[in-house]
């Protein structure tokens, strides 16, 4: 018999170790009518063992132990348990078991399973009380978003994406001080709560995180290159709204700063300046102004040249929507289009763009001939749900234009269930002589099996995949494989966002047909990178 464990004993029974508790002994010795002590005067301890004794090992999980305990008969369900481990036998009460299980559930509810960081629920539950115990003027929130993360999932798979997120979570924690908290908000968005932080201190932490995000992530022997955009909000620099807690207000401002950083080029730290407006108030104003923007002719189209890589000539003019709101400044398409989609105005804006673009094409055709088309970027939702072939035919006819004067580049995913409809529309456009392209190839694109049945003329490779082709052999190899895939599908391939001569040389070697971006604008239009349409 083993040493006594707080009034219990562990016996070496026939079927292995068993637990004899004080309650079980007293039950036997009292008996129903009080004759138990006499009846068991010659009994051994082994004869007093209960019929079943629950024995666990170190390998048993909390969930398994709870299931076993609850699976016992009612009479013994709340008896103590015997735990056999490397350090010897231990007594575990049912209450201890379920206390640990409760703590495990609480930890799981407050922590992200992939990264181990606390999650949004923890931040909502615990954050306000933590901030209430600190100097409100020296609290900062960093709001982080990984740039082009979707490309990792789409190109290398979700396993690679999960590995990147887990590694970034470790890097983020390593960049913070003791007492600061790293949070995974969801997807590729993270936050950091900095207590006792000054402006320079918060910006220094953000710079460390930015540097950590740009270091290559290794997966399957290949370096994956990403970056981050970080919004920084410091309590002393923002106007707290009485309707929001200080934490919620800081998160809103930091989120807005991050989005502002995305609009100005990504891979940067954007700080909320003292007196900046609530970023969500900005969204609300954009939505209000959008209601009358078309009536007031507030939009404008801007054009940049597209380069023929093989001979250095100008292949086309690429249009982009431009809108400025007094007091808010320029509203980029990335900021405008989600608002327009939510307010069901995307179709109206698209029709306005098509009409204005064909007017521009008619001016070019009259002055130079129809050899240089204008390019309209349109939502793939129009292709998947609408009737672009019919609408384009009517607009071209209204301006007396051939189909070759226009090119449509569709951006965004095409649901597999709408592939047949999209195929019909693309064939209708092709019969008119209208070139069509798919934007962000390698990033946001249909499955290759679906893409095989979509008769696009061109594929525009995701800028995230060509950004480092002149400095990274792996990136160049990936860009080459995408070009080969495009050609195998009978499509030419183009690149956007070209900034360096080195990128252009690699694109030429890989057989890319066209390129656009800041470098191309400077080469073809040295007097002005953007040509604003005249009325």
């Amino acid at each position: 018999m083993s040493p006594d464990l707080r009034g219990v004993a562990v016996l070496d029974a026939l079927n292995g170790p068993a637990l004899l508790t004080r309650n079980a002994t007293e039950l036997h010795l009292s008996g129903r009518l009080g004759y138990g002590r006499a009846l068991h005067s010659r009994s051994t301890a082994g004869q007093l063992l209960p019929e079943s004794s629950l024995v666990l090992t170190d390998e048993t999980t909390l969930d398994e132990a709870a299931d076993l305990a609850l699976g016992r008969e009612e009479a013994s369900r709340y008896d103590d348990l015997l735990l056999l481990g490397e350090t010897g036998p231990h007594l575990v009460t049912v209450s201890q078991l379920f206390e640990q299980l409760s703590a495990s559930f609480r930890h799981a509810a407050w922590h992200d399973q992939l990264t181990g960081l606390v999650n949004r629920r923890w931040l909502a539950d615990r954050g306000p009380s933590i901030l209430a115990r600190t100097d409100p003027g020296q609290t900062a929130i960093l709001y982080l978003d990984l740039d082009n993360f979707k490309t990792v999932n789409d190109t290398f798979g979700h396993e690679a994406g999960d590995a990147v997120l887990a590694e970034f979570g470790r890097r983020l924690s390593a960049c913070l001080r003791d007492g600061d908290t790293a949070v995974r908000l969801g997807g590729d968005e993270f936050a950091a709560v900095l207590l006792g932080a000054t402006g320079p201190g918060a910006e220094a932490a953000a710079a460390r995180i930015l540097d950590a995000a740009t270091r290559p992530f290794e997966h399957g022997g290949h370096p994956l290159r990403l970056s981050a955009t970080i919004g920084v909000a410091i309590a002393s620099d923002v106007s707290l709204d009485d309707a929001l807690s200080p934490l919620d207000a800081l998160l809103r401002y930091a989120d807005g700063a991050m989005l502002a950083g995305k609009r100005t080029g990504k891979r940067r730290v954007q700080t909320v300046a003292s007196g900046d407006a609530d970023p969500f108030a900005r969204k609300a104003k954009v939505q209000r102004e959008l209601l009358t923007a078309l009536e007031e002719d507030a939009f404008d189209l801007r054009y940049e040249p597209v380069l023929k890589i093989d001979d250095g000539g100008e292949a086309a003019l690429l249009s982009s929507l431009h809108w400025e709101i007094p007091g808010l400044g320029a509203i980029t398409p990335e900021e405008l289009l989600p608002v327009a989609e939510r307010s069901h105005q995307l179709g109206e804006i698209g029709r306005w763009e098509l009409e204005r673009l064909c007017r521009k094409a008619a001016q070019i055709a009259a002055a130079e001939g129809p050899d240089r088309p204008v390019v309209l970027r349109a939502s793939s939702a129009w292709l998947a749900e609408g009737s672009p072939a019919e609408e384009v035919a009517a607009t071209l006819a209204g301006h007396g234009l051939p189909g070759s004067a226009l090119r449509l580049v569709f951006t965004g995913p095409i649901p597999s269930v709408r592939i047949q409809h999209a195929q019909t529309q693309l064939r209708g456009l092709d019969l008119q002589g209208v070139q069509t392209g798919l934007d962000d190839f390698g990033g946001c694109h249909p499955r290759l099996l679906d893409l095989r049945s979509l008769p696009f003329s061109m594929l525009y490779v995701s800028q995230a995949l060509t950004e480092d082709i002149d400095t990274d052999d792996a990136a160049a190899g990936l860009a080459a494989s995408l070009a080969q895939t495009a050609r195998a599908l009978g499509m030419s391939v183009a690149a956007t966002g070209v900034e360096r001569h080195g990128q252009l040389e690699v694109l030429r070697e890989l057989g890319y047909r066209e390129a656009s971006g800041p470098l191309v604008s400077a080469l073809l239009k040295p007097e002005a990178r953007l040509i604003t349409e005249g009325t």
Side-chain angles (χ1 to χ4, degrees), residues 223-292:
L224 307 181
R225 297 183 181 276
L226 293 173
S227 60
T229 302
I230 305 174
V232 181
I234 303 170
S236 59
D237 290 338
V238 304
S239 300
L240 299 181
D241 188 335
D242 291 339
L244 298 172
S245 70
L247 175 64
D248 288 337
L250 280 172
L251 278 170
R252 279 174 57 146
Y253 274 96
D255 185 10
M258 182 274 293
L259 293 173
K262 290 277 191 184
R263 291 193 298 270
T264 54
K266 305 180 181 180
R267 193 184 293 190
R268 65 193 61 224
V269 175
Q270 185 77 29
T271 304
V272 176
S274 181
D276 276 1
D278 184 337
F280 290 84
R282 175 185 175 93
K283 290 182 182 179
K285 186 171 183 180
V286 170
Q287 189 160 352
R288 288 195 303 271
E289 294 290 333
L290 186 58
L291 295 174
T292 58

Side-chain angles (χ1 to χ4, degrees), residues 168-321:
F168 180 71
R170 289 188 286 270
R171 295 184 188 183
L172 173 59
S173 296
C175 292
L176 304 181
R177 309 162 303 168
D178 292 341
D180 296 337
T181 304
V183 186
R184 185 185 179 198
L185 298 173
D188 61 346
E189 292 187 337
F190 296 77
V193 181
L194 312 182
L195 304 179
T198 61
E203 292 178 22
R208 292 194 298 271
I209 297 167
L210 188 64
D211 179 67
T214 55
R215 295 199 304 270
F217 294 84
E218 296 291 334
H219 182 75
H222 300 287
L224 307 181
R225 297 183 181 276
L226 293 173
S227 60
T229 302
I230 305 174
V232 181
I234 303 170
S236 59
D237 290 338
V238 304
S239 300
L240 299 181
D241 188 335
D242 291 339
L244 298 172
S245 70
L247 175 64
D248 288 337
L250 280 172
L251 278 170
R252 279 174 57 146
Y253 274 96
D255 185 10
M258 182 274 293
L259 293 173
K262 290 277 191 184
R263 291 193 298 270
T264 54
K266 305 180 181 180
R267 193 184 293 190
R268 65 193 61 224
V269 175
Q270 185 77 29
T271 304
V272 176
S274 181
D276 276 1
D278 184 337
F280 290 84
R282 175 185 175 93
K283 290 182 182 179
K285 186 171 183 180
V286 170
Q287 189 160 352
R288 288 195 303 271
E289 294 290 333
L290 186 58
L291 295 174
T292 58
L294 285 172
E295 296 176 6
E296 297 173 355
D297 200 25
F299 294 125
D300 189 14
L301 286 180
R302 292 189 173 185
Y303 301 89
E304 59 178 306
V306 178
L307 177 72
K308 289 182 183 177
I309 295 180
D310 56 352
D311 63 11
E314 189 170 320
L317 278 181
L318 177 63
S319 70
S320 61
L321 190 66

Side-chain angles (χ1 to χ4, degrees), residues 464-480:
L465 300 179
T466 58
E467 188 172 22
D468 299 319
I469 57 173
D470 58 337
T471 58
D472 184 350
D473 290 341
L478 184 56

Side-chain angles (χ1 to χ4, degrees), residues 6 79-83 90-94 96-97 100:
R6 294 192 301 164
D79 286 352
D80 297 335
L81 320 175
L82 176 61
L83 176 63
H90 298 278
L91 172 72
V92 178
T93 66
V94 173
Q96 288 175 319
L97 170 63
Q100 291 185 44

